[in-house]
């Protein structure tokens, strides 16, 4: 890690488009490029605090820590949000507009990667018991794990960006205050359920949403999750949910179950 701001001058982003960085072999001047999605934040930074450089596939990748000026959130217009496995995020704004972000594709890819890693771990255990070389298997396991983590992180960041773009100005994002136990033996019963929960990126999506909302000046609040997926968004009484379908026997209202839950959270109906 290289200090850039007031705490040190280990690295410096020059106006000529080069990066001056200190090394044990003296200062080096390197050319660099910034991804298009991060250029605005980089240009608006009040201060560049630090730079972490890693080497991957023969290339140097820099991770920069910035200090940004975040606007003061107003929190006037509620946007209800529902997080699920299949529909990773469903949001409904005050005008009734709906945002669907499907998580099916990444769920299938992560499940396929997890199966491959399980097969390789068995092979690794067998080779280790036979006192054979396991270096290639360990490298492959590390690469698959890194690929899965990067895929999940990218999906969570993109989902948060879709939500922030969808939400109106002065919005308050309403999430459920749900605390899920860790997918560990003794805390969740059933191997299949623990496997599903370990692949669910709900916590990471929530963290990315909170970070992005703070950057853009949007408020984030939480509501009691009790019965928000079962109550009717029109009359507030208990309805019937069957997979993705919701119906209310009291007022006859029918809707997508995730949309109904998002509207209930938006109005705070418990």
């Amino acid at each position: 890690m290289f200090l850039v701001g007031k705490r040190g001058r280990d690295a410096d982003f020059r106006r000529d488009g080069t990066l001056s960085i200190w090394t044990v072999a003296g200062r080096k001047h390197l050319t660099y490029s910034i991804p298009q999605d991060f250029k605005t934040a980089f240009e608006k930074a009040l201060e560049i605090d630090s730079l972490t450089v890693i080497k991957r596939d023969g290339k140097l990748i820099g991770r920069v820590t910035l200090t940004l000026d975040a606007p003061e959130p107003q929190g006037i217009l509620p946007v209800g949000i529902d997080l699920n496995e299949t529909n990773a995020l469903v949001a409904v704004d005050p005008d009734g507009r709906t945002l669907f972000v499907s998580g099916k594709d990444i769920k299938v890819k992560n499940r396929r990667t997890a199966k491959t890693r399980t097969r390789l771990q068995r092979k690794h255990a067998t080779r280790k018991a036979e006192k054979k070389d396991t270096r290639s298997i360990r490298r492959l396991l590390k690469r698959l794990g890194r690929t899965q983590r990067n895929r999940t992180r990218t999906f969570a960041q993109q989902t948060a960006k879709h939500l922030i773009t969808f939400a109106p100005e002065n919005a308050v994002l309403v999430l459920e205050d749900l605390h899920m136990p860790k997918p560990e033996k003794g805390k969740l019963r059933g191997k299949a359920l623990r496997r599903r929960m370990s692949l669910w990126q709900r916590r990471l999506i929530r963290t990315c949403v909170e970070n992005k909302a703070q950057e853009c000046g949007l408020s984030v609040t939480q509501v009691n999750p009790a019965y928000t997926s079962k109550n009717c968004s029109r009359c507030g009484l208990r309805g019937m949910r069957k997979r993705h379908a919701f119906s209310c026997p009291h007022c006859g209202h029918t809707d997508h179950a995730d949309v109904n839950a998002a509207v209930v959270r938006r109005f705070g109906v418990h």
Side-chain angles (χ1 to χ4, degrees), residues 13-61:
F13 290 88
R14 301 292 178 85
R15 293 182 178 180
D16 59 359
T18 61
L19 170 65
S20 174
I21 191 170
W22 180 88
T23 69
V24 292
R27 278 205 169 266
K28 302 294 182 181
H29 296 272
L30 309 173
T31 58
Y32 67 90
S33 60
I34 303 173
Q36 189 65 36
D37 291 343
F38 298 101
K39 279 187 176 181
T40 302
F42 188 82
E43 293 171 355
K44 291 183 177 180
L46 298 179
E47 185 178 323
I48 302 175
D49 300 311
S50 64
L51 168 68
T52 304
V53 180
I54 60 175
K55 188 175 182 180
R56 183 177 297 168
D57 299 330
K59 296 181 180 180
L60 295 178
I61 300 176

Side-chain angles (χ1 to χ4, degrees), residues 23 28 73 109-110 130 149 160 211 213 220 234 256:
T23 69
K28 302 294 182 181
K109 289 181 180 179
N110 283 345
E130 296 172 352
R149 288 192 300 271
N211 293 340
V220 179
R234 179 175 293 176
H256 191 287

Side-chain angles (χ1 to χ4, degrees), residues 3 28 30 41 50 77 110 135 138 151 173 211 262:
L3 302 179
K28 302 294 182 181
L30 309 173
S50 64
L77 304 174
N110 283 345
R135 189 184 309 170
R138 284 187 279 114
R151 180 195 300 136
L173 308 179
N211 293 340

Side-chain angles (χ1 to χ4, degrees), residues 73-93:
Q74 301 296 323
I76 300 174
L77 304 174
V79 176
I81 300 169
D82 187 56
L83 302 178
N84 289 284
E85 288 184 84
T86 304
N87 294 317
L89 184 144
V90 178
V92 180
D93 72 356

Side-chain angles (χ1 to χ4, degrees), residues 53-205:
V53 180
I54 60 175
K55 188 175 182 180
R56 183 177 297 168
D57 299 330
K59 296 181 180 180
L60 295 178
I61 300 176
R63 294 174 177 172
V64 184
T65 303
L66 307 175
T67 298
L68 300 172
D69 184 17
E72 189 69 25
Q74 301 296 323
I76 300 174
L77 304 174
V79 176
I81 300 169
D82 187 56
L83 302 178
N84 289 284
E85 288 184 84
T86 304
N87 294 317
L89 184 144
V90 178
V92 180
D93 72 356
D95 294 329
R97 294 187 307 126
T98 305
L99 171 68
F100 272 89
V101 179
S102 175
K104 186 176 180 179
D105 185 53
I106 189 174
K107 180 180 177 181
V108 171
K109 289 181 180 179
N110 283 345
R111 185 180 297 172
R112 189 180 300 132
T113 302
K115 288 183 178 179
T116 303
R117 293 184 67 190
T118 301
R119 186 172 64 251
L120 288 172
Q121 285 167 351
R122 293 198 192 101
K123 187 175 181 180
H124 176 267
T126 302
R127 283 198 179 184
K128 191 174 181 180
E130 296 172 352
K131 297 184 179 180
K132 293 182 179 180
D133 183 34
T134 60
R135 189 184 309 170
S136 60
I137 299 178
R138 284 187 279 114
R139 282 202 304 261
L140 183 55
L141 282 170
K142 287 183 179 179
R143 186 166 69 247
L144 287 174
R146 185 170 60 245
T147 299
Q148 182 172 328
R149 288 192 300 271
N150 291 340
R151 180 195 300 136
T152 304
R153 187 187 305 112
T154 300
F155 175 77
Q157 292 171 343
Q158 291 175 344
T159 300
K161 185 176 180 180
H162 287 320
L163 175 62
I164 298 303
T165 303
F166 165 82
E169 293 184 8
N170 300 328
V172 51
L173 308 179
V174 185
L175 297 161
E176 58 179 340
D177 187 15
L178 181 62
H179 299 281
M180 299 287 293
K182 291 185 178 180
E184 298 175 354
K185 196 171 184 180
K187 294 185 178 181
L188 279 179
R189 297 183 61 182
K191 187 176 180 180
L193 179 59
R194 290 195 298 270
R195 186 184 299 115
R196 280 177 51 199
M197 292 298 101
S198 65
L199 295 177
W200 190 14
Q201 61 279 356
R202 179 183 181 279
R203 188 185 297 257
L204 184 57
I205 290 177

